[in-house]
Amino acid sequence: MKNVLVLIMLNVSFGVCNLYPKHIVEINGSFSVFAIVINLIFYLLFSLFLVFSIDKEKDLFSVDSFSPHEKFSKKIELKRILLICATQILFDIIVLSMTFILHENIVYLRDFVTVLMWVVIYIICATKEKNIFRNSKGYIVALVLVLLLLISSHYDFKLSKEYSLLVDKYSVEWVNFEQSINNLDFLFGIKNFLLDTITGSVLLISHAIFNKSDKKKAIQNIQNKKQRIKQKTQDQKIKEAVRFFLVIVIIFVMVFVKTLVFPVSCIKGINIRTSKTHNISESEEFTANTKKTVIKRIDSNLLERKVFEITNNKLFYKGKCILEYNSSDNLLANSFEMDGNQMIINDRFEKRVESGIEFYLYKSKVICFIHNDTPVAIGYGNEHKNYSEQLVIIYKSLIENSDWNFFEQGAKYLIEHDSKFIKPYLERFSLGEFNDAELKKLDHLSINKSYIQRISKELNNTKK
């Protein structure tokens, strides 16, 4: 359906120039007034498109889209357009007001408002006779919308959980704290874009399908269509193609003008950098590849700001990938430093030896070692289930040296395989008792003492 294609292009253009969810009202410092005016212009055009698509049941490319006998006031349906914009403004104010009450849980309300706004838009645009929610078929559409909202809420729960973990575990001084929060905001925006676009598409397609004419009218329409096809010239087909092309051009021009005149919130660029320590030869060493993706927007001070930064890490041994994961750090596989006139290339692996056991720490986040001639890479959320004497020794060493990045997973493992060792630590940390060296390491890693205390209490209560 051509109108769905236009909807997708309009939503993408908004995402390039602004932040999702779609909105009119925004607080953006001294530029707020300009931002609201530009958002309003977009919504006036967006509402015109929706009224045209739903009420007139036509697409923008048809030759007979605009009848010369139709009054101008009836063509544009100004009242409906203004009502859509007024409703969006009302919802924007409600969401902004509730942000101070719901905090991170505002994501659920934003998604609900996204779906609700589409339902309101449809009710405003559709005539009573053709409103799909006024007959039994509307229940099918309503069920689909509820399902979409539930799926979206499921991902909201995951994002909220990750946000709570970040706030609970790290202090704001953590070097990756702000970027990790920005990444979650960006991912929510992408998810809301999908929810918005799919919801709108469902309503547009459902309206077209459920409002098909009855058999008699269908037969008549077929006859009329055949007659129109005979009369249709090659010139008319060209006009439809030209209209389609013009719509695309207009959308691109809108994005270009917005970026040029008022670049605030516009995407500045996408940068991808790669770094490799992975050797083509199958050497008996742990190596890594990284690929960093950075997306920037223009902030309210007209400066570039990273809104999304993620590093894809691939760890190898003998040329075979043993672990792949994403991190919010900006560390590539290699670091460079100058020693006089010589450049030294260092990788991110730190070699350690404990009780004759050799292991490596990658970015102080992943443990790498050889177990029964098999390479093993263990990071947070990638626990080793089976017993390994080597891993017991490694975790004991890390906990004794206050390597807090591995405390939670290490304590869980040692509860199962060496509870005698970990029990005194859990009991002491549960009471909030830390020595100076442990507190110094916590402060260096920007990890909250309260987080370690809570985790220790939970693990201490689950020990055998």
Side-chain angles (χ1 to χ4, degrees):
M1 190 176 182
K2 295 177 182 178
N3 284 333
V4 173
L5 179 60
V6 176
L7 169 64
I8 293 172
M9 290 190 293
L10 287 171
N11 276 3
V12 169
S13 68
F14 187 92
V16 171
C17 297
N18 212 323
L19 304 175
Y20 265 82
K22 289 209 303 284
H23 57 275
I24 295 176
V25 179
E26 64 177 84
I27 300 174
N28 208 353
S30 56
F31 293 106
S32 295
V33 175
F34 298 102
I36 292 172
V37 170
I38 291 176
N39 292 342
L40 183 59
I41 293 172
F42 172 85
Y43 253 88
L44 288 171
L45 296 174
F46 186 65
S47 302
L48 174 61
F49 158 71
L50 293 173
V51 170
F52 187 84
S53 302
I54 298 173
D55 180 31
K56 297 180 180 297
E57 299 183 54
K58 298 178 180 178
D59 60 64
L60 297 175
F61 319 109
S62 301
V63 176
D64 60 345
S65 294
F66 298 96
S67 171
H69 305 293
E70 202 173 16
K71 292 182 179 179
F72 180 75
S73 59
K74 178 136 181 92
K75 286 181 183 180
I76 62 174
E77 295 284 0
L78 187 59
K79 289 183 179 179
R80 295 185 181 187
I81 294 172
L82 294 178
L83 185 56
I84 291 173
C85 294
T87 305
Q88 183 63 58
I89 291 172
L90 176 62
F91 284 168
D92 289 344
I93 294 173
I94 292 173
V95 171
L96 287 173
S97 301
M98 294 300 292
T99 302
F100 302 101
I101 300 174
L102 298 178
H103 303 292
E104 68 269 16
N105 292 321
I106 193 65
V107 292
Y108 299 103
L109 179 61
R110 286 175 176 172
D111 278 351
F112 175 75
V113 167
T114 295
V115 176
L116 179 61
M117 184 63 198
W118 267 109
V119 174
V120 172
I121 287 173
Y122 178 78
I123 293 173
I124 291 173
C125 295
T127 60
K128 292 181 179 180
E129 297 78 14
K130 295 187 177 181
N131 189 326
I132 58 177
F133 293 114
R134 287 179 171 268
N135 56 58
S136 57
K137 297 176 182 178
Y139 291 107
I140 300 174
V141 180
L143 184 62
V144 172
L145 297 184
V146 170
L147 182 61
L148 286 173
L149 188 58
L150 289 175
I151 294 173
S152 183
S153 297
H154 170 71
Y155 286 99
D156 285 338
F157 175 76
K158 287 187 173 182
L159 293 174
S160 297
K161 187 177 181 181
E162 192 167 345
Y163 173 85
S164 298
L165 176 63
L166 284 171
V167 173
D168 190 23
K169 184 174 182 178
Y170 297 101
S171 65
V172 293
E173 287 81 18
W174 182 43
V175 64
N176 293 322
F177 185 84
E178 182 179 0
Q179 190 56 58
S180 297
I181 299 298
N182 289 341
N183 285 354
L184 294 177
D185 289 338
F186 183 85
L187 291 175
F188 170 76
I190 294 295
K191 183 191 64 63
N192 187 266
F193 159 78
L194 294 174
L195 177 64
D196 185 293
T197 304
I198 295 173
T199 301
S201 300
V202 166
L203 287 172
L204 289 177
I205 294 172
S206 300
H207 182 78
I209 292 175
F210 293 152
N211 280 293
K212 286 183 177 180
S213 303
D214 56 33
K215 291 183 179 180
K216 291 184 179 178
K217 289 185 177 180
I219 294 172
Q220 184 63 40
N221 287 338
I222 291 173
Q223 293 175 347
N224 294 337
K225 187 176 181 180
K226 288 180 179 179
Q227 185 64 28
R228 288 197 302 270
I229 291 174
K230 291 180 181 179
Q231 297 174 352
K232 194 170 185 180
T233 64
Q234 186 66 28
D235 183 56
Q236 289 174 318
K237 292 180 181 180
I238 295 174
K239 286 182 179 179
E240 288 188 8
V242 169
R243 285 191 177 188
F244 177 76
F245 177 75
L246 284 177
V247 169
I248 297 176
V249 170
I250 289 171
I251 291 174
F252 273 101
V253 169
M254 288 169 55
V255 172
F256 176 76
V257 171
K258 204 277 184 182
T259 304
L260 185 66
V261 176
F262 187 70
V264 174
S265 296
C266 291
I267 289 181
K268 177 62 177 178
I270 301 175
N271 181 37
I272 298 176
R273 293 179 59 192
T274 60
S275 181
K276 298 181 179 181
T277 58
H278 173 41
N279 198 320
I280 297 177
S281 64
E282 296 185 355
S283 60
E284 294 186 359
E285 294 180 355
F286 289 100
T287 57
N289 290 357
T290 52
K291 182 170 70 173
K292 183 173 70 172
T293 302
V294 178
I295 300 176
K296 296 181 179 180
R297 287 186 186 269
I298 303 297
D299 65 14
S300 57
N301 296 316
L302 299 179
L303 300 174
E304 293 183 16
R305 182 174 68 88
K306 290 187 290 187
V307 294
F308 184 74
E309 181 178 49
I310 193 166
T311 301
N312 176 262
N313 303 268
K314 289 183 179 180
L315 306 188
F316 297 84
Y317 185 78
K318 289 188 176 182
K320 181 181 179 180
C321 182
I322 59 175
L323 179 67
E324 180 177 0
Y325 73 100
N326 293 323
S327 59
S328 59
D329 62 68
N330 59 359
L331 302 176
L332 295 174
N334 297 310
S335 63
F336 304 90
E337 60 182 58
M338 295 298 297
D339 184 9
N341 294 326
Q342 185 177 7
M343 178 180 288
I344 299 175
I345 302 176
N346 300 314
D347 60 28
R348 300 293 177 180
F349 290 92
E350 177 190 353
K351 181 180 179 180
R352 294 192 185 184
V353 179
E354 180 66 33
S355 300
I357 303 299
E358 182 180 285
F359 63 98
Y360 297 82
L361 300 183
Y362 175 73
K363 292 187 177 181
S364 297
K365 292 289 186 180
V366 179
I367 304 168
C368 301
F369 65 101
I370 303 297
H371 175 65
N372 293 333
D373 297 324
T374 302
V376 178
I378 303 173
Y380 185 80
N382 182 39
E383 292 88 356
H384 192 73
K385 301 297 183 181
N386 300 324
Y387 173 74
S388 168
E389 183 180 353
Q390 293 167 283
L391 190 55
V392 168
I393 293 173
I394 292 171
Y395 275 139
K396 289 169 67 173
S397 172
L398 293 172
I399 290 174
E400 286 175 335
N401 287 282
S402 301
D403 287 295
W404 295 109
N405 285 326
F406 303 98
F407 173 76
E408 186 174 353
Q409 66 192 67
K412 287 180 180 179
Y413 192 80
L414 292 174
I415 284 175
E416 297 294 328
H417 304 296
D418 197 340
S419 60
K420 184 177 180 180
F421 169 85
I422 196 62
K423 180 179 177 181
Y425 285 95
L426 294 178
E427 291 180 346
R428 183 160 60 88
F429 296 156
S430 296
L431 298 174
E433 297 176 358
F434 299 84
N435 60 41
D436 291 340
E438 291 165 346
L439 289 173
K440 187 176 180 179
K441 277 287 192 71
L442 282 172
D443 184 62
H444 176 71
L445 296 172
S446 300
I447 295 177
N448 294 320
K449 183 179 74 172
S450 58
Y451 175 79
I452 300 298
Q453 184 175 358
R454 179 177 66 79
I455 292 298
S456 298
K457 285 181 179 179
E458 292 175 357
L459 294 174
N460 198 39
N461 291 333
T462 61
K463 72 178 186 297
K464 294 181 179 180

